[in-house]
Amino acid sequence: MNEIGSIKKVREMLQENQFRIKKHYGQNFITDQNLLKKIVDSANIGPECGVIEVGPGFGALTQHLVGKAKKVLAFEIDKELIPLLQSQFINYPAFILIHQDILEVQIDEVIHTYLSDCKEIVVVANLPYYITTPILMRFLETSQKVSRLILMMQHEVAMRITGKPNTKDYNALSIVIQYLAKAKLLFKVPRTVFIPAPNVDSAIVHLEIKKTKELNPQLEPRFFDFVHQCFTQRRKTLMNNLKASNLGKSKEEYETSLTSLGIALDARSEQLDVVTFLALFHQLGENV
Ligand code: SAM
């Protein structure tokens, strides 16, 4: 296949198809073959693997995925790209293209319908940045069947979701993601390898979804809300955030809970790791 993700080829595809790049769809096309290979290598795709790709664009990543995976199920929102992708991959029966907004997709249902003969499911994507977090949450929260995700995202978001306590990047999102998955920033990607170049640098993140989780699934939304409330005012102490929250406990109850867990009354939320947040959530009775 003529290599899709080279500068020359991307320019050709844009010109030949009189394609107008849609910023509102977060379209930043990769133009570096080495980068594409590096991303796909780090996904460790085997012949029994089913891959879900979000936003194939012109198919730059897709062309490397179809050669390795058993099946590639791709979701693209831009209808102008659908016929281009269909003709590009006409000789690849393992490629399944669906014209749909990924946020409308019932992930486990489509896995059951299209990828049930695959031994493991991996998500690989150069994400549309305007919906990085909702896409991430959708896969991490709703799918029992996905093993790992290898995602290009804004460097800043990558730093947050892999952030450790006591660093400036650590916030509620770090805790929520690290509760759901083991997250690792693999490498940084400069903005210059995209057409058009985004305003920020990017990074590749590897997320391995945890098979067993601490909480029963019904409690998870409450835990996530609790964590967000603890970070509402970053400059304030955890205690002050709790008092200002709508969690409905008295100052004494918060103090007793913090003290019983050995958390200083002047501690800040960014000092606590996921395990401590879970302990505090249990301590406060889980119905906060
Ligand atoms: N994979 C291509 C590449 O790396 O060159 C394109 C990546 S581009 C950053 C993001 C892609 O996601 C675009 O093709 C865009 O049209 C598509 N997209 C944007 N929003 C989407 C959504 N809600 N659901 C599915 N695809 C979406």
Side-chain angles (χ1 to χ4, degrees):
M1 193 185 300
N2 196 347
E3 294 196 327
I4 303 169
S6 64
I7 298 188
K8 187 164 165 271
K9 189 70 187 166
V10 173
R11 290 210 174 113
E12 247 173 61
M13 303 226 21
L14 292 169
Q15 263 165 21
E16 275 172 18
N17 303 294
Q18 297 183 341
F19 187 84
R20 289 228 314 272
I21 291 171
K22 298 168 196 75
K23 274 197 171 165
H24 61 279
Y25 282 156
Q27 291 179 343
N28 300 100
F29 300 102
I30 297 179
T31 63
D32 183 326
Q33 285 299 324
N34 290 331
L35 170 64
L36 291 164
K37 288 191 187 112
K38 210 167 150 190
I39 298 171
V40 174
D41 283 349
S42 55
N44 199 16
I45 310 286
E48 294 302 319
C49 216
V51 173
I52 299 181
E53 187 186 3
V54 180
F58 290 120
L61 260 175
T62 326
Q63 72 188 327
H64 294 276
L65 295 169
V66 287
K68 296 201 169 208
K70 182 166 188 153
K71 283 187 182 157
V72 176
L73 174 63
F75 294 90
E76 175 54 65
I77 200 170
D78 185 351
K79 68 173 188 300
E80 216 183 324
L81 288 168
I82 301 299
L84 303 181
L85 284 161
Q86 276 164 343
S87 69
Q88 196 72 43
F89 294 101
I90 192 155
N91 295 322
Y92 290 83
F95 177 63
I96 307 159
L97 178 62
I98 300 185
H99 175 216
Q100 198 176 1
D101 178 344
I102 191 66
L103 298 180
E104 304 285 323
V105 175
Q106 298 303 319
I107 308 287
D108 280 347
E109 244 170 60
V110 294
I111 292 176
H112 179 73
T113 308
Y114 298 102
L115 304 176
S116 52
D117 55 346
C118 298
K119 284 225 172 91
E120 63 169 354
I121 309 296
V122 179
V123 178
V124 182
N126 171 16
L127 290 178
Y129 292 172
Y130 72 107
I131 43 172
T132 299
T133 309
I135 293 178
L136 205 52
M137 290 307 289
R138 201 162 178 86
F139 281 105
L140 295 182
E141 272 189 309
T142 66
S143 180
Q144 307 296 312
K145 297 179 180 159
V146 171
S147 324
R148 58 187 181 280
L149 301 93
I150 290 76
L151 304 173
M152 174 97 76
M153 61 183 71
Q154 306 93 307
H155 183 252
E156 190 195 324
V157 180
M159 291 296 284
R160 287 214 179 283
I161 67 176
T162 57
K164 297 280 168 282
N166 293 311
T167 64
K168 71 173 172 40
D169 297 306
Y170 190 69
N171 70 357
L173 184 64
S174 323
I175 293 163
V176 169
I177 299 292
Q178 290 169 33
Y179 164 80
L180 294 164
K182 239 170 90 185
K184 195 168 168 213
L185 194 158
L186 296 185
F187 53 91
K188 196 172 172 179
V189 178
R191 61 194 81 183
T192 47
V193 302
F194 302 92
I195 288 184
N199 296 327
V200 292
D201 288 326
S202 301
I204 297 292
V205 174
H206 184 288
L207 293 130
E208 196 184 315
I209 299 190
K210 291 185 183 164
K211 287 289 164 234
T212 49
K213 308 221 181 69
E214 190 76 23
L215 296 170
N216 123 15
Q218 284 96 323
L219 281 176
E220 287 177 352
R222 229 181 283 158
F223 174 62
F224 299 158
D225 179 54
F226 167 69
V227 172
H228 278 102
Q229 300 229 30
C230 293
F231 276 88
T232 306
Q233 303 213 43
R234 206 180 161 87
R235 284 161 177 273
K236 288 195 172 173
T237 60
L238 167 63
M239 187 63 200
N240 281 337
N241 272 305
L242 288 170
K243 282 195 291 186
S245 72
N246 62 13
L247 300 173
K249 303 271 171 187
S250 67
K251 179 174 173 254
E252 289 69 33
E253 284 174 293
Y254 292 132
E255 279 178 1
T256 311
S257 295
L258 294 192
T259 309
S260 72
L261 292 170
I263 304 169
L265 295 183
D266 61 353
R268 290 176 188 280
S269 298
E270 70 250 32
Q271 295 173 278
L272 273 51
D273 62 10
V274 184
V275 174
T276 312
F277 266 103
L278 280 164
L280 184 57
F281 180 64
H282 288 309
Q283 186 72 26
L284 289 169
E286 293 167 356
N287 53 356
V288 281

